[in-house]
Amino acid sequence: MDLKNTRTTILNEGDPEQKRAEILDYFHKTFDIDEKLYETLRYDDTFHLRADRLRHPLIFYFGHTATFFINKLTIAKAIETRINPGFESLFAVGVDEMSWDDLDATHYDWPTRQAVKEYRDKARELVDGLIRRLPLKLPITWEDPFWAVMMGIEHERIHLETSSVLIRQLPIDQVVQLPLWSICDEAGEPPENRLLQVAGGRVVLGKPLDHPLYGWDNEYGCHEAAVAGFKASQYLVSNREFLAFVRAGGYGERQWWTEEGWGWRQFRQAEHPLFWINNAGGWKLRTMASEIDLPWNWPVEVNCLEAQAFCAWKAAATGLPIRLPTEDEWTRLRDVCAIPDQPWWEKAPGNINLEQWSSSCPVDRFRFGDFCDVVGNVWQWTETPIYPFHGFRIHPWYDDFSTPTFDTRHNLIKGGSWIATGNEATRDARYAFRRHFFQHAGFRYVESAAPVEVHQDQYETDTLTAQYCDAHYGAERFGVANFPATCARLCLEAMAGRATGRALDLGCALGRASFELARGGFQRVTGLDFSTRFFRLAARMQEEGHLRYAFPEEGEILSFHEVGLADLGLEGARDRVEFYQADACNLPEKFTGYDLVLAANLIDRLYSPRRFLATIHERLNPGGVLVITSPYTWLEEFTKKEEWLGGYRDAGENVTSLEGLRKALAPRFRMVGEPRDVPFVIRETRRKFQHTIAEMTIWELT
């Protein structure tokens, strides 16, 4: 079985049973090649080393790709039973490397390699069985459970790249060079790089929803642009060409670096590319699992900040407007070269898709007309921060794949590397990373005086997000008090005379109640939400102190709003609040020891409210208080009917949600006082509002 020559699956044509066999084969090859990658780690203990202090150890990624299948298939309602809830929580979310000096000091009790391998085997068996028995009809669309399967497969292929970069940063004595991952043995001097003309023209980016291939949400929608003619370097910048910048003292001269770049350079004290090794015997290069003499004709591998500094230096030396290409310019170059797309090529047209080597190769090895390495070898940094195309939609099963990167701080890389497979190797792939991030990435430069357009979409325009921004931080409507603030006030009243050390705001959404609880006297408040969109906005409010959002007034007319903590008297609470993403039905063990748990309008949106109620006592201190609000709007879209606490008939009798709450909580809680109504209003447009009444109950742990 050839593990290193695969194609992503065409999802809209063919015989359904043959397609099932294709997906099953693609799944197992993906799982196999991922595990083969980890065989390059010399010892079991190597899995627990941190190759990069801003990333998790590799044991996380070994488990993450398997638990991802289970977590997404659960969200997609394709499976009902988890394998190991603890693992599926521990391995769910990686370190969010938002800054080069953002060190993650959180302690994790990582399991052994063998324990994770046993989990992977169980996950493989579960997904295998699911692929074999799920009904399959073509085309496979966003809503199909098979889309979740493809999501897991393509996600695991992304992490081939992520993990291989981390393996490359491990101490050399912790890895072993295996024949499966053999490297290119061609080396020498590069040809002189030249700037060649690329004719201007129109580029069209963005997939329709009926596109035949799997895609991540940022690939959909439409973007059209007229690209002016420009010149592009014939080759990727080689190690030899970049050496001139190093020898000229480029790493030590502030003038070539952006403010962000110089801050990174000073922090890292970088003097040359990360994978270069400078020793007495001359320059070496660290590949994934070997150290070799530096091949001068291979592409240099740097982060975006280093590439931009080189371009600034090159522009000054030549007197030409040299910079990185934009996404549109790179696409124009690719289109001019008429490169076939994966999976329709007969053979990989370059050093891509693992069809050549497990390393870079000479920059003139693969030609595309007059240019070389338009795709493959290493990813190519662009000047374009990623942004959503017109018509962009968030996929509900992975709502944090793209939206956190639409902040102008994540630049697109294009073209793929030697280990880019599946979706990564397609024309429409759009991957973006913080500019200090290391990848198997280099660059080519262009000569162009055209300005670089940065698509700044600073206002939250997603309808649901805008509604919650307004509901949490906007004006009162129709005399109805702000709901999160009211919940916090009533919680604080219930806590009178009790300890107010730590509070947990479950389903915190955009965090208003968390800030209010901190202002009201809690020493520390933790806000958790399952929605990455919501928790990230809460975290942004904490970090920046304000949010902006656009609200529909009528039709296409929008109004623009900015809300801030200072305006609400909450500025002083910022330091006592923290936000995380978490599943309330499967909370990590670290979230415990609270005097108060607030679950506002949460239980009727949980997939297992009974499990939540049966375990929430574990999070409270003795005598702690649980506050629940809910309008009891049970929907099978969110909660299977057998999990409903009420709103159904049993033996001919009505069962209310309050009765269900009493029954579920009676073993460990007593109700304090009587239930009370708490109204809230959500604005949809200028003339349309939702007016809802939640019921609040307060419970004391006995």
Side-chain angles (χ1 to χ4, degrees):
M1 182 168 62
D2 188 355
L3 299 179
K4 295 178 67 176
N5 186 358
T6 57
R7 305 285 187 272
T8 192
T9 308
I10 299 171
L11 302 176
N12 69 341
E13 64 183 31
D15 173 74
E17 291 310 306
Q18 178 60 35
K19 193 61 58 180
R20 184 190 305 277
E22 288 179 29
I23 294 172
L24 186 64
D25 181 64
Y26 191 38
F27 165 69
H28 281 295
K29 285 182 175 177
T30 301
F31 229 76
D32 284 340
I33 194 66
D34 194 20
E35 294 191 347
K36 293 289 186 184
L37 183 68
Y38 288 95
E39 290 179 7
T40 62
L41 304 188
R42 187 176 293 274
Y43 310 110
D44 280 5
D45 288 347
T46 307
F47 281 79
H48 295 84
L49 297 179
R50 293 183 72 164
D52 186 321
R53 57 183 172 175
L54 299 181
R55 311 297 290 177
H56 280 317
L58 281 155
I59 192 69
F60 169 82
Y61 300 96
F62 192 47
H64 174 63
T65 50
T67 60
F68 183 93
F69 277 99
I70 306 307
N71 287 328
K72 297 309 178 187
L73 290 168
T74 299
I75 294 172
K77 297 182 172 61
I79 60 174
E80 297 182 356
T81 304
R82 292 182 172 275
I83 297 173
N84 181 330
F87 276 21
E88 286 139 15
S89 175
L90 178 66
F91 292 115
V93 182
V95 174
D96 182 17
E97 188 194 13
M98 294 305 293
S99 175
W100 36 260
D101 57 354
D102 181 18
L103 305 184
D104 176 56
T106 307
H107 174 72
Y108 294 87
D109 186 15
W110 298 112
T112 64
R113 183 205 65 82
Q114 183 59 34
V116 177
K117 178 60 169 68
E118 290 171 1
Y119 178 91
R120 287 183 61 88
D121 292 343
K122 292 175 182 177
R124 183 196 285 248
E125 182 180 4
L126 186 152
V127 178
D128 176 283
L130 198 66
I131 295 171
R132 292 179 188 274
R133 69 174 182 272
L134 271 177
L136 193 156
K137 63 177 183 178
L138 299 175
I140 295 171
T141 62
W142 269 33
E143 300 78 18
D144 194 305
F146 268 98
W147 194 268
V149 173
M150 291 300 301
M151 181 180 285
I153 294 171
E154 293 295 351
H155 171 264
E156 189 158 15
R157 288 190 170 270
I158 292 173
H159 279 284
L160 285 177
E161 191 116 21
T162 303
S163 295
S164 65
V165 174
L166 291 175
I167 292 169
R168 195 173 180 184
Q169 295 177 68
L170 285 168
I172 193 67
D173 62 358
Q174 295 291 321
V175 297
V176 57
Q177 179 68 60
L178 298 175
L180 181 67
W181 303 100
S182 60
I183 63 176
C184 178
D185 61 1
E186 300 175 16
E189 288 294 326
E192 182 182 355
N193 213 349
R194 299 182 297 156
L195 286 162
L196 303 180
Q197 187 67 41
V198 180
R202 193 156 197 82
V203 298
V204 178
L205 290 167
K207 291 179 176 179
L209 286 175
D210 61 356
H211 192 277
L213 303 182
Y214 176 86
W216 301 104
D217 55 11
N218 64 42
E219 300 168 28
Y220 293 90
C222 185
H223 167 76
E224 297 187 25
V227 178
F230 61 97
K231 291 182 178 181
S233 61
Q234 184 175 13
Y235 309 107
L236 299 176
V237 173
S238 66
N239 288 316
R240 174 64 75 187
E241 188 173 8
F242 197 84
L243 179 66
F245 173 68
V246 175
R247 285 180 168 171
Y251 276 85
E253 295 187 18
R254 170 67 181 85
Q255 61 180 318
W256 311 129
W257 299 81
T258 63
E259 181 178 355
E260 177 189 1
W262 187 246
W264 168 83
R265 188 269 153 196
Q266 291 292 87
F267 177 78
R268 290 292 295 256
Q269 288 296 298
E271 297 180 353
H272 53 74
L274 176 67
F275 300 117
W276 288 16
I277 302 168
N278 189 7
N279 59 31
W283 290 101
K284 299 280 188 179
L285 178 71
R286 171 64 186 267
T287 64
M288 189 172 73
S290 295
E291 289 182 0
I292 62 174
D293 290 338
L294 183 58
W296 295 113
N297 58 348
W298 289 17
V300 70
E301 292 162 285
V302 292
N303 65 27
C304 187
L305 303 171
E306 293 168 292
Q308 290 172 325
F310 174 93
C311 288
W313 171 80
K314 186 81 171 178
T318 61
L320 300 173
I322 300 294
R323 58 168 170 78
L324 297 176
T326 63
E327 181 184 27
D328 290 344
E329 288 166 340
W330 180 89
T331 303
R332 178 61 184 163
L333 174 60
R334 190 191 194 286
D335 290 350
V336 165
C337 292
I339 301 169
D341 202 7
Q342 205 255 61
W344 292 281
W345 64 44
E346 192 169 311
K347 181 181 179 182
N351 186 14
I352 194 170
N353 205 50
L354 283 172
E355 291 188 41
Q356 307 296 341
W357 301 281
S358 297
S359 72
S360 302
C361 69
V363 296
D364 57 347
R365 183 66 165 73
F366 291 96
R367 288 189 169 271
F368 301 85
D370 291 333
F371 293 91
C372 291
D373 289 334
V374 177
V375 300
N377 218 356
V378 294
W379 290 94
Q380 300 171 47
W381 285 105
T382 73
E383 281 288 358
T384 304
I386 192 171
Y387 63 95
F389 291 149
H390 180 68
F392 166 78
R393 288 170 48 197
I394 296 168
H395 197 290
W397 299 342
Y398 199 173
D399 68 352
D400 62 333
F401 183 82
S402 301
T403 52
T405 66
F406 296 155
D407 59 0
T408 73
R409 300 177 182 180
H410 293 72
N411 279 38
L412 283 152
I413 55 175
K414 305 296 288 188
S417 73
W418 53 268
I419 199 172
T421 64
N423 170 268
E424 286 188 315
T426 64
R427 175 186 182 272
D428 293 297
R430 300 183 83 220
Y431 295 90
F433 295 96
R434 286 295 296 263
R435 290 180 279 270
H436 63 271
F437 193 91
F438 286 105
Q439 192 64 283
H440 303 300
F443 66 104
R444 68 175 357 104
Y445 49 84
V446 300
E447 177 193 336
S448 174
V452 174
E453 181 179 6
V454 177
H455 302 261
Q456 298 201 35
D457 187 12
Q458 297 180 352
Y459 286 86
E460 296 297 326
T461 57
D462 173 73
T463 300
L464 184 63
T465 299
Q467 288 177 0
Y468 271 77
C469 283
D470 189 76
H472 275 239
Y473 300 104
E476 291 185 359
R477 311 289 181 185
F478 306 106
V480 177
N482 179 281
F483 180 75
T486 299
C487 288
R489 176 178 59 80
L490 295 174
C491 285
L492 291 165
E493 289 177 5
M495 297 301 292
R498 301 173 184 267
T500 53
R502 300 176 66 224
L504 177 62
D505 183 7
L506 275 175
C508 67
L510 272 63
R512 175 68 181 271
S514 300
F515 290 115
E516 295 283 356
L517 289 170
R519 175 170 66 173
F522 275 91
Q523 297 172 23
R524 196 73 186 166
V525 182
T526 302
L528 304 181
D529 203 281
F530 187 68
S531 167
T532 306
R533 278 181 290 171
F534 286 174
F535 113 80
R536 285 185 181 275
L537 286 172
R540 186 190 301 173
M541 177 62 98
Q542 180 198 30
E543 180 182 348
E544 300 178 4
H546 67 271
L547 292 174
R548 298 187 180 100
Y549 59 96
F551 229 144
E553 295 293 319
E554 57 180 88
E556 297 180 347
I557 301 173
L558 300 175
S559 60
F560 296 89
H561 306 264
E562 180 172 323
V563 290
L565 293 178
D567 298 331
L568 299 168
L570 296 170
E571 181 74 18
R574 288 167 65 176
D575 293 340
R576 300 198 303 279
V577 178
E578 58 188 355
F579 295 102
Y580 299 93
Q581 181 189 21
D583 178 354
C585 298
N586 189 27
L587 288 174
E589 293 182 6
K590 65 180 179 179
F591 296 119
T592 190
Y594 296 99
D595 300 305
L596 168 73
V597 172
L598 169 63
N601 294 357
L602 176 71
I603 58 170
D604 57 358
R605 289 298 178 264
L606 297 177
Y607 61 84
S608 185
R610 297 182 184 276
R611 183 192 306 169
F612 167 73
L613 294 173
T615 59
I616 191 60
H617 67 281
E618 299 170 359
R619 311 296 168 174
L620 282 164
N621 292 327
V625 173
L626 169 66
V627 178
I628 296 174
T629 73
S630 176
Y632 307 137
T633 51
W634 300 103
L635 296 170
E636 289 192 276
E637 174 186 355
F638 302 103
T639 314
K640 294 183 298 183
K641 204 163 189 177
E642 56 266 32
E643 281 280 347
W644 292 7
L645 299 177
Y648 59 87
R649 295 176 65 84
D650 184 21
E653 299 295 327
N654 293 334
V655 178
T656 69
S657 299
L658 180 57
E659 291 170 337
L661 273 175
R662 290 182 188 273
K663 183 177 180 180
L665 292 173
R668 295 184 176 88
F669 291 87
R670 71 171 186 89
M671 185 184 289
V672 179
E674 294 298 317
R676 64 184 297 169
D677 290 342
V678 184
F680 61 94
V681 173
I682 293 179
R683 181 189 191 272
E684 293 187 20
T685 67
R686 184 171 60 183
R687 297 186 178 277
K688 185 180 180 184
F689 298 81
Q690 300 175 27
H691 181 241
T692 310
I693 300 175
E695 184 171 69
M696 174 181 280
T697 55
I698 300 175
W699 308 83
E700 182 183 47
L701 182 64
T702 57

